[in-house]
């Protein structure tokens, strides 16, 4: 499978307000961010800071906002095959097999033979060759998320958006899935934006960690993760970065050392 050349995702002065019964509710305010082709960016922030809304805007599920979002030179005005998204729940169709769920994500103009070949490639990409004809209820939670990732990648999008994709998994499965998404990213070199509450996960996976402020969400700080891969979560450098990010949420860095080790 050949990695695809990506395009820069550019967000400029992005704000989003929902109009609810109690009045206007601004959830994002003045977000500006450029994500380079093939970069892995993690976004962390408290509940309600607009992280998931930001992903929905990038994928085109929300269309009313202020500011601009471009993938390459093209403005994002709605959903498209150049962007794929994986949610916290796998959202597989229960009456479809693994291969049918992945094929469901293929573009309708793909010839049948090419569709079958693409589906086989993506089943192999996520390591589920032995489960191609299994149904979702026959899979573990981690396996279901692998299928969802394969479905999101089947059109070879320029950007893959991950909205808390491992949040419902147990701790050991979550760590295994972090390794899996890292392997897939290194194979495909697709641009990835991950939203997570898990700061360790953000540091372990990301080239940069974007720290968001409480609602209305804005970018408080962008932390570059200049650590070699594979990364050790127990290294001094990893712990030092974790401490600095925690400090953005809880206060003085010096008081957090014992808490985060």
């Amino acid at each position: 499978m050949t990695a695809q050349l990506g395009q820069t995702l550019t967000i400029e002065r992005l704000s989003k307000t929902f109009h609810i019964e109690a009045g206007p509710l601004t959830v994002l305010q003045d977000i500006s961010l450029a994500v380079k082709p093939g970069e892995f960016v993690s976004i962390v922030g408290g509940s309600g800071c607009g992280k998931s809304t930001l992903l929905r805007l990038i994928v085109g599920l929300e269309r009313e906002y202020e500011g601009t979002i471009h993938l390459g030179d093209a403005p994002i005005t709605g959903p498209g095959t150049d962007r794929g998204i994986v949610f916290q729940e796998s959202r597989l169709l229960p009456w479809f097999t693994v291969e049918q769920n992945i094929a469901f994500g293929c573009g309708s103009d793909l010839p049948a033979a090419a569709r079958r070949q693409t589906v086989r490639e993506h089943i192999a990409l996520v390591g589920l060759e032995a489960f191609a004809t299994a149904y979702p209820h026959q899979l573990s939670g981690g396996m279901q998320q692998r299928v969802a990732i394969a479905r999101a990648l089947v059109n070879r999008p320029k950007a893959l958006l991950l909205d808390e994709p491992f949040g419902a998994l147990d701790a050991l499965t979550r760590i295994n899935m972090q390794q899996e998404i890292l392997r897939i990213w290194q194979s495909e070199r697709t641009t990835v934006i991950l939203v997570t509450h898990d700061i360790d996960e953000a540091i372990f996976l990301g080239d940069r960690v974007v720290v968001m402020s409480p609602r209305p969400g804005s970018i408080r700080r962008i932390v570059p993760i200049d650590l070699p891969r594979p990364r050790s979560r127990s290294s001094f450098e990893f712990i030092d970065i974790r401490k600095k990010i925690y400090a953005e949420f809880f206060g003085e860095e010096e008081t957090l050392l014992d808490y985060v080790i």
Side-chain angles (χ1 to χ4, degrees), residues 52 56 85-93 141 144-149 151 161-169:
S52 294
R56 290 176 61 84
I85 189 166
V86 178
F87 298 97
Q88 183 170 341
E89 309 83 18
S90 62
R91 302 193 182 184
L92 303 180
L93 299 175
Q144 290 178 21
Q145 282 300 75
R146 289 192 200 187
V147 179
I149 290 167
R151 184 177 59 187
L161 311 173
L162 304 174
D163 190 3
E164 287 279 354
F166 314 135
L169 304 178

Side-chain angles (χ1 to χ4, degrees), residues 65-261:
Y65 57 88
E66 297 177 9
T68 60
I69 311 173
H70 285 78
L71 187 56
D73 295 328
I76 290 175
T77 57
T81 57
D82 55 354
R83 286 148 287 137
I85 189 166
V86 178
F87 298 97
Q88 183 170 341
E89 309 83 18
S90 62
R91 302 193 182 184
L92 303 180
L93 299 175
W95 54 88
F96 277 3
T97 64
V98 166
E99 57 190 0
Q100 289 170 331
N101 266 288
I102 296 172
F104 187 74
C106 288
S108 58
D109 58 344
L110 198 64
R115 179 188 295 258
R116 287 192 296 271
Q117 176 63 26
T118 298
V119 169
R120 282 196 296 269
E121 289 178 355
H122 284 79
I123 290 174
L125 178 67
V126 296
L128 290 176
E129 296 96 324
F131 297 88
T133 58
Y135 289 89
H137 74 272
Q138 298 172 315
L139 305 176
S140 68
M143 290 169 132
Q144 290 178 21
Q145 282 300 75
R146 289 192 200 187
V147 179
I149 290 167
R151 184 177 59 187
L153 287 171
V154 76
N155 287 309
R156 295 187 168 91
K158 300 295 191 300
L160 176 64
L161 311 173
L162 304 174
D163 190 3
E164 287 279 354
F166 314 135
L169 304 178
D170 65 82
L172 290 178
T173 303
R174 184 171 188 141
I175 289 173
N176 288 334
M177 285 302 300
Q178 290 167 6
Q179 297 282 4
E180 279 296 295
I181 199 65
L182 191 60
R183 177 186 63 81
I184 292 167
W185 170 70
Q186 290 173 328
S187 169
E188 297 294 285
R189 302 310 298 188
T190 302
T191 303
V192 177
I193 302 177
L194 166 72
V195 158
T196 180
H197 286 97
D198 187 328
I199 292 175
D200 275 29
E201 180 172 271
I203 299 169
F204 183 76
L205 294 173
D207 294 316
R208 291 185 290 161
V209 175
V210 176
V211 181
M212 292 187 64
S213 65
R215 189 173 65 233
S218 60
I219 295 177
R220 174 180 284 177
R221 183 177 180 184
I222 298 178
V223 181
I225 312 299
D226 298 321
L227 299 178
R229 302 180 189 273
R231 292 172 178 167
S232 169
R233 301 170 204 252
S234 60
S235 71
F236 173 83
E237 294 80 7
F238 193 103
I239 292 170
D240 188 55
I241 292 171
R242 184 202 303 163
K243 180 164 67 81
K244 290 175 180 175
I245 294 175
Y246 267 96
E248 293 292 334
F249 297 107
F250 300 116
E252 295 297 325
E253 292 182 24
E254 292 78 2
T255 63
L256 293 169
L257 185 58
D258 292 335
Y259 176 75
V260 299
I261 289 180

